[in-house]
């Protein structure tokens, strides 16, 4: 809870200084260390470890916990960041090695390069051809291909699904259980990335599962116009292509360019969704700037205005000079500076100095005295309208009621008394007041009724009221102001100063606090209802750890500035009223604004309000547009036809689930909840599942300039390194960034990216989607999941060769007898377990568990065990249980394909279509078949226990051969020694399996007795031992000599650490993490030495 709250709220430092831009990686790393240390302590306690072994682990945990509490002071529910402790930890982390790749991605290291080289060369030699007419059911070759090719498998299926209407809900079904979800509409700024692919993988799996459960299912697609993001991208592209700005084109022509961009990019986004398998209802596709949703935006604005929730006011805003627009607080990146720092600023050829505090003096009027003030932004002194002192400061008592003279403009500035703002003990005790450019000064200006002077233009130049500095760039002005003050003898120098710089997250421009009239939405009552919904359980946030952050943010919500000074977006439906024949009204007069749904409605309202005929009313619509998140906040019900009482609104609102990334919990999720409750009286959904973020394999955020951004289609179809380079070069990056990105691509994808198919990509994302932990995605991990798909293909190809001509029983496993072979009863029980596990994982939104359940069952149980242990049945046409085995095989395959379909839609459709059908089956597609449920009578704990025994015996035999260095082709004789007579029949019935699968020779089964000479004993469990003959199967002398060397090496490694620890003073300086590694290594070395000594004695006994 506290960890999440720090990241979301960016809490104030404990020393009261400016907010710190908290890097999540610093806290994540520390929390991860604490978690691992706690786990180590727990493990040692469970083992009842000795005190000398336990104490170092406890000390490590304690040290880490102290480090966290030093960094984050916790009292009640309040948080405060200790800036110095945070910086120290951040510096340590930055100096450390690259973050470790998660264990699940270490497997398959280098597989991508190998597969990419092979498959991309194959693609160039012969492209895959789709012979199926568009929209028709796929034409498949009668015989399965020898090699799994994801492109060949996945082609044609989606077009058939879509053309057949499989994705559409039943519009006339008012009785069935429903499942409704809207897609988080991706920005129409470009292409989808892997974060979107994770969203698609999760949401499509849920949608297909609900559809297969028989629910009336709607997954509604759409895109967001993304006001700021889209305008910035189009402006950049326009300037790159034509060297023109939006002002060169004019508003209407520029908007035409944006619509062209939307049509081009929106189509590509939808193509990406199709190719990754998203089973959305395309007939309901929505766009936030489309007519239906635009009408809903106007209606929502008008209703909220009529309720008094929306109002216009002049306040201090966060202004982006590049955008020439205000932005909201949650669109700001705060960059913490320790002191002197040079930063790049848009519009400047050289970097600008930040991290200084400048001092200068104001001459007191009618006196030789001066009063010294300090500022981090000297250019704003051109907007100063007061100097504040504390009323009780004895140094300035004689200056009460006096004025100072501005050195550059013809203005006398009052010296005011303010005990709220001024701290007598800080600096000179005098503070310059710039009400129009600083939040604290703004409040002071309001208290003292000061003049508010805006000394800057919208594009970041000094305004006409700045005298000789008029027209200068703001940061050029900074240097010149101080230079001239120095020349006048008023400059008092500068010194480094820690500070926080606010950046626009879209443009990276330095934000300016400026006073601007804007439209605001009062969110207090709406936020209180949203908190109540979570408190009372009407709305579930999953994981629940987000609930604390939800309450904290909404309980401290501020009025939302909803207007933006952009061209792309929904125009504010408000009009300024002038009266024909009367002087033009003051633009600051709030009473002159009238809000309405149409111009005709507004004209009528204005005529009534001002008592004038409609023909005398002159209207000017506000040039501003609404914040993108305003229209996005209406998405769950505007897409259903609101404000009209449509059939869709009746059937499909409220929805059931909102699934999205945790990073937009407040940008989007909270606003949807607030707007839906306010405008419809309903919650928009019952559950909110917040998935983690996708990072690269080193834990870095995806960034074009890093070269680690991956288009999902590159993973689906593969891409060469040259094509990756071309993609980066064709974008909006500067030449320096292009080179850096291409260098990173060379390192990460030297042979390009292997084609893994949509199924491989989806499965990799789901397999590594753990609640509360970001995904560090290594492309090799995706290749491993592509190989899992290959395993399914090859195993099915082998298995179905036995099903040629087979007609399944009318009901699953009909006629199967309880006396049939153990492996058949066991696989059915494990199948039932997988089905139960999968349904439970869907219900719990545990997608790692879902994917792992399918992988473990098919690969480790079906392939590694069932197919191996049934070969002798299938290879014998006369085997008495062959029919039982065929029915079991068919049932397992058909059920598994249905269970895996939500996660592997293309592969399972291809394979399910190749299976024979049971009598009475009506589903034409696996996506319309019933999702399997756990069956009564299929689970057998007895069969599972017996099979576990058989597998353990086989595993022990293989392990013994490996441990004692017996050649793989050698077949040593074995005795299985039992302590229970009743186990004899079980072991004897699998002797042939043990011989074949464990590579052993003659097997004897005995009850009790000593091990024969020349045999070694390996324990299976308390009732079974495996006795393996070593004599004649190993070179005893050579093995003993080899093990003696290995033992010596282990002892040397142990002694090296112990010697280092003896110098306690020097060792104490070693990093704590390294000391912890040493302690763990010593424990492990002691165990390895002990085992090596036992092995040596065992081998010596054979001589």
């Amino acid at each position: 809870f506290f960890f999440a709250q720090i990241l979301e709220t960016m809490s104030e430092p404990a020393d009261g200084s400016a907010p710190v831009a908290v890097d999540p990686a610093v806290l994540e790393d520390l929390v991860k260390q604490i978690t691992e240390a706690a786990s180590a302590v727990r493990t040692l306690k469970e083992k009842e470890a000795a005190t000398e072994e336990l104490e170092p682990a406890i000390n490590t945990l304690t040290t880490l916990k102290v480090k966290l509490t030093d960094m984050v002071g916790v009292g009640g529910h309040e948080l405060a960041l200790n800036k110095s402790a945070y910086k120290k930890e951040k510096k340590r982390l930055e100096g450390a090695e690259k973050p470790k790749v998660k264990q699940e991605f270490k497997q398959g290291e280098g597989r991508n390069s190998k597969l990419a080289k092979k498959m991309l060369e194959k693609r160039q030699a012969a492209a895959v051809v789709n012979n199926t007419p568009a929209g028709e059911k796929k034409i498949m070759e009668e015989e399965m291909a020898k090699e799994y090719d994801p492109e060949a498998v996945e082609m044609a299926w989606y077009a058939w699904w879509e053309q057949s209407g499989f994705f559409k809900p039943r519009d006339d079904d008012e009785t069935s259980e429903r499942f409704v979800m809207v897609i988080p509409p991706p920005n129409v700024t470009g292409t989808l990335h892997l974060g979107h692919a994770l969203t698609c993988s999760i949401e499509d799996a849920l949608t297909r599962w609900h559809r297969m459960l028989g629910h009336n299912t709607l997954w509604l697609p759409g895109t967001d116009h993304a006001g700021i993001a889209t305008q910035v991208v189009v402006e950049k592209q326009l300037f790159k292509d034509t060297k023109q700005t939006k002002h060169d084109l004019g508003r209407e022509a520029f908007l035409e360019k944006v619509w062209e961009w939307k049509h081009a990019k929106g189509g590509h986004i939808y193509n990406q969704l199709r190719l990754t398998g998203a089973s959305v209802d395309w007939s309901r596709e929505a766009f936030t700037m489309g007519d239906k949703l635009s009408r809903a935006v106007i209606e929502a604005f008008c209703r909220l205005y009529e309720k008094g929730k929306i109002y216009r006011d002049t306040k201090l805003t966060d202004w982006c000079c590049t955008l020439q627009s205000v932005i909201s607080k949650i669109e700001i990146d705060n960059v913490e500076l320790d002191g002197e720092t040079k930063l790049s600023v848009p519009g400047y050829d050289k970097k600008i100095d930040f991290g200084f505090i400048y001092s200068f003096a104001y001459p007191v009027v009618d006196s030789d005295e001066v009063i010294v003030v300090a500022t981090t932004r000297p250019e704003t002194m051109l907007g100063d309208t007061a100097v504040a002192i504390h009323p009780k400061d004895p140094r300035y008592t004689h200056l009460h009621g006096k004025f100072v003279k501005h050195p550059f403009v013809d203005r006398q500035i009052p010296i005011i008394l303010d005990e709220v703002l001024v701290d007598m003990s800080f600096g000179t005790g005098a503070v310059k007041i710039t009400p129009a450019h600083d939040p604290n000064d703004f409040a002071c200006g309001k208290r003292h009724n000061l003049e508010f002077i805006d000394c800057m233009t919208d594009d970041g130049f000094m305004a006409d009221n700045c005298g000789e500095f008029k027209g200068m760039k703001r940061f050029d002005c900074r240097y010149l102001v101080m230079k001239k003050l120095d020349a006048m003898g008023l400059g008092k120098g500068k010194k480094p100063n820690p500070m926080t710089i606010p950046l626009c997250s879209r443009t990276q421009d330095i934000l300016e606090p400026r006073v601007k009239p804007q439209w605001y939405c009062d969110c207090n009552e709406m936020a209180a209802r949203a908190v109540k919904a979570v408190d009372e359980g009407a709305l579930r946030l999953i994981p629940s750890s987000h609930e604390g952050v939800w309450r904290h943010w909404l309980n401290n919500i501020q009025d939302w500035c909803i207007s933006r000074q952009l061209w792309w977006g929904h125009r504010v439906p408000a009009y300024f009223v002038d009266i024909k024949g009367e002087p033009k009204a003051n633009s600051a007069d709030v009473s002159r604004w009238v809000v309405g749904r149409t111009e005709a409605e507004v004209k009528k309202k204005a005529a009534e309000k001002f008592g004038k005929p409609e023909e005398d009313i002159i209207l000017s619509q506000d040039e501003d547009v609404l914040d993108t998140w305003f229209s996005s906040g209406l998405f769950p019900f505007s897409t259903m036809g609101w404000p009209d009482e449509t059939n869709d609104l009746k059937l499909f609102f409220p929805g059931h689930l909102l699934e999205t990334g945790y990073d937009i919990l407040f940008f989007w999720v909270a606003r949807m909840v607030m707007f839906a409750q306010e405008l419809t009286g309903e919650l928009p959904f019952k559950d909110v599942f917040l998935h983690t973020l996708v990072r690269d394999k080193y834990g870095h955020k995806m960034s074009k300039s890093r070269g680690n951004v991956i288009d999902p289609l590159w993973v689906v179809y593969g891409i060469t390194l040259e094509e990756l380079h071309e993609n980066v070069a064709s974008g909006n990056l500067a030449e320096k960034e292009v080179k850096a990105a291409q260098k990173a691509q060379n390192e990460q994808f030297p042979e390009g990216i292997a084609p893994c198919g949509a199924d491989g990509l989806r499965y990799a994302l789901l397999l590594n989607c753990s609640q509360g932990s970001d995904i560090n995605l290594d492309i090799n991990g995706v290749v491993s999941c592509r190989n899992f798909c290959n395993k399914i293909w090859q195993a099915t190809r082998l298995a179905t060769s036995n099903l040629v001509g087979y007609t399944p029983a009318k009901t699953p496993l009909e006629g199967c007898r309880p006396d049939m072979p153990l492996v058949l009863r066991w696989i059915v029980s494990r199948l039932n377990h997988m089905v139960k596990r999968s349904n439970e994982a869907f219900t719990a939104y545990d997608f790692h568990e879902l994917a792992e359940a399918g992988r473990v069952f098919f690969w480790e149980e079906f392939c590694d065990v069932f197919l191996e242990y049934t070969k002798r049945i299938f290879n014998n046409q006369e085997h008495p249980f062959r029919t039982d085995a065929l029915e079991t095989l068919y049932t397992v395959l058909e059920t598994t394909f249905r269970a895996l379909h939500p996660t592997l839609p293309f592969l399972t459709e291809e394979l399910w279509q190749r299976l024979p059908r049971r009598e009475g089956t009506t589903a034409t597609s696996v996506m319309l078949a019933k999702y399997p449920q756990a069956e009564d009578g299929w689970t057998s704990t007895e069969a599972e226990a017996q099979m576990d025994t058989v597998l353990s015996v086989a595993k022990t035999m293989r392990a013994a051969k490996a441990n004692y260095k017996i050649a793989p082709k050698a077949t040593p004789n074995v005795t299985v020694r039992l302590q229970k007579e009743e186990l004899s029949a079980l072991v004897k019935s699998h002797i042939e399996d043990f011989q074949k699968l464990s590579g052993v020779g003659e097997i004897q089964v005995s009850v009790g007795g000593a091990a024969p000479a020349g045999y070694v004993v390996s324990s299976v469990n308390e009732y079974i031992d495996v006795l393996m003959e070593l004599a004649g199967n190993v070179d005893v002398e050579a093995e003993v000599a080899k093990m003696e060397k290995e033992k010596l090496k282990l002892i040397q490694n142990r002694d090296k650490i112990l010697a280092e620890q003896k110098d306690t003073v020097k060792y104490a300086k070693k990093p704590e993490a390294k000391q912890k590694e040493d302690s763990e290594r010593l424990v492990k070395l002691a165990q390895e030495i002990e085992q090596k000594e036992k092995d040596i004695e065992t081998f010596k006994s054979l001589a």
Side-chain angles (χ1 to χ4, degrees), residues 868-1060:
E868 293 297 331
Y869 279 76
T870 54
K871 280 181 179 178
R872 56 194 176 101
I873 299 177
F874 290 125
N875 291 339
N876 181 359
Q877 296 291 327
E878 305 302 321
H879 197 287
F881 291 103
R882 196 168 193 280
T883 300
D884 293 319
L886 288 172
E887 176 57 25
T888 302
L889 173 63
Y890 174 81
T891 299
V892 169
L893 282 177
E894 198 274 340
T895 305
T896 300
F897 295 155
R898 286 187 285 127
L900 291 180
H901 177 71
T903 53
L904 298 170
F906 295 100
L907 178 60
T908 52
E909 183 73 90
E910 176 97 7
L911 298 178
W912 187 84
Q913 294 288 352
R914 291 181 177 278
L915 292 178
R917 292 284 175 270
R918 291 193 194 279
E919 184 180 332
T921 300
T922 58
T924 54
S925 164
V926 66
M927 72 182 298
L928 302 180
K930 181 182 177 182
Y931 195 82
Q933 301 296 309
E935 298 285 345
D936 293 337
W938 282 21
T939 297
S940 172
T941 54
E942 180 186 16
E944 292 196 25
Q946 290 179 346
M947 197 66 195
D948 285 346
T949 299
V950 170
L951 296 175
S952 296
V953 171
K955 181 179 178 182
T956 303
M957 290 179 182
R958 291 194 298 273
K961 284 189 67 176
N963 292 339
Y964 294 107
K965 311 297 187 295
I966 298 175
K969 291 185 179 180
T971 55
N973 294 329
V974 168
T975 295
V976 179
R977 184 173 62 190
L978 309 174
Q979 301 302 322
K980 284 185 175 183
E981 174 66 40
E982 55 265 35
L983 292 172
S984 181
L986 174 65
V987 174
K988 288 179 178 179
S989 66
H990 288 84
I991 285 177
E992 187 178 335
D993 295 319
F994 295 146
Q995 291 172 326
K996 184 174 182 181
L997 299 176
S998 298
V1000 298
E1002 183 180 343
I1003 298 177
Q1004 300 291 330
V1005 179
S1006 69
V1007 179
Y1015 280 69
V1016 291
V1017 179
S1018 300
S1019 178
V1020 177
N1021 56 42
E1022 59 183 313
Y1023 302 114
I1024 306 175
D1025 295 318
V1026 169
L1027 285 54
M1028 183 168 289
E1029 185 180 24
L1030 294 188
N1033 290 302
V1034 295
D1035 185 335
V1036 175
E1037 187 175 337
E1039 287 299 326
V1040 169
K1042 182 179 178 183
M1043 286 190 286
E1044 289 286 4
K1045 287 183 180 180
E1046 291 170 350
K1047 174 186 169 184
L1048 180 60
K1049 182 66 176 176
L1050 292 170
I1051 292 172
Q1052 290 172 341
N1053 290 339
R1054 180 199 64 188
D1055 292 348
K1056 182 180 179 182
I1057 297 174
L1058 291 173
E1060 190 178 356

Side-chain angles (χ1 to χ4, degrees), residues 59 66 476 572 633 697 700 785 798 859 883 900 934 940 1000 1078:
N59 291 340
V66 169
D476 291 343
V572 175
K697 69 177 182 179
H700 298 139
C785 288
L798 170 66
W859 198 315
T883 300
L900 291 180
S940 172
V1000 298
D1078 287 347

Side-chain angles (χ1 to χ4, degrees), residues 100-238:
K100 293 180 179 179
V101 182
K102 284 187 175 181
Q103 183 65 39
E104 55 262 39
F105 293 121
K106 288 184 179 178
Q107 298 176 359
E109 193 71 36
R111 284 179 177 171
N112 173 60
S113 294
K114 184 177 179 180
L115 184 64
K117 184 176 178 63
K118 173 186 173 183
M119 296 302 293
L120 293 175
E121 287 177 354
K122 180 181 177 182
R123 185 183 71 179
Q124 291 175 346
V128 178
V129 179
N130 182 8
N131 295 318
T132 304
E136 293 187 13
K137 188 174 181 179
K138 183 174 181 178
I139 300 172
M140 295 189 294
E141 297 293 334
E142 186 173 335
E143 186 177 343
M144 289 178 66
K146 292 181 179 179
E147 288 190 12
Y148 168 68
D149 185 336
E151 184 177 357
V153 168
E154 295 175 6
M155 64 170 49
W157 287 120
Y158 193 94
W160 176 59
W161 292 334
E162 183 180 352
Q163 184 67 31
S164 301
F166 295 160
F167 304 156
K168 294 181 179 181
R170 301 179 292 277
D171 294 340
D172 58 350
D173 184 352
E174 299 183 15
T175 58
S176 297
E177 185 174 343
R178 293 188 288 274
F179 175 75
V180 180
M181 176 173 58
V182 296
I183 200 170
N187 291 350
V188 73
T189 48
T191 59
L192 303 185
H193 51 65
L194 287 178
H196 294 110
L198 174 60
T199 298
C200 175
S201 301
I202 292 172
E203 295 185 9
D204 188 56
L206 283 164
T207 301
R208 290 175 184 270
W209 178 59
H210 279 281
R211 190 182 289 121
M212 294 176 75
L213 290 176
H215 300 163
N216 195 12
T217 303
L218 170 60
W219 182 22
L220 190 145
T223 49
D224 193 288
H225 68 281
I228 292 177
T230 302
Q231 182 159 318
V232 167
V233 170
V234 175
E235 283 190 71
K236 282 184 178 180
Q237 196 67 45
L238 176 67

Side-chain angles (χ1 to χ4, degrees), residues 856-869:
V856 167
F857 173 75
F858 197 89
W859 198 315
E860 298 181 11
E861 296 174 342
F862 178 73
C863 293
D864 291 354
V865 178
F866 177 78
L867 291 183
E868 293 297 331
Y869 279 76

Side-chain angles (χ1 to χ4, degrees), residues 196 321 442 514 557 559 613:
H196 294 110
C321 297
F442 179 84
R514 296 183 69 208
I557 200 167
D559 287 0

Side-chain angles (χ1 to χ4, degrees), residues 742-774:
Q742 291 178 340
K743 181 181 177 183
Q745 289 175 336
N746 291 340
E747 294 172 355
Q748 293 192 52
F749 316 115
E751 298 291 343
I753 297 175
C756 296
D759 285 332
L761 174 60
R762 289 165 60 118
Y763 214 81
L765 291 168
L766 293 172
L767 185 62
N768 295 287
C769 181
S770 299
Q771 293 182 14
S773 177
D774 286 353

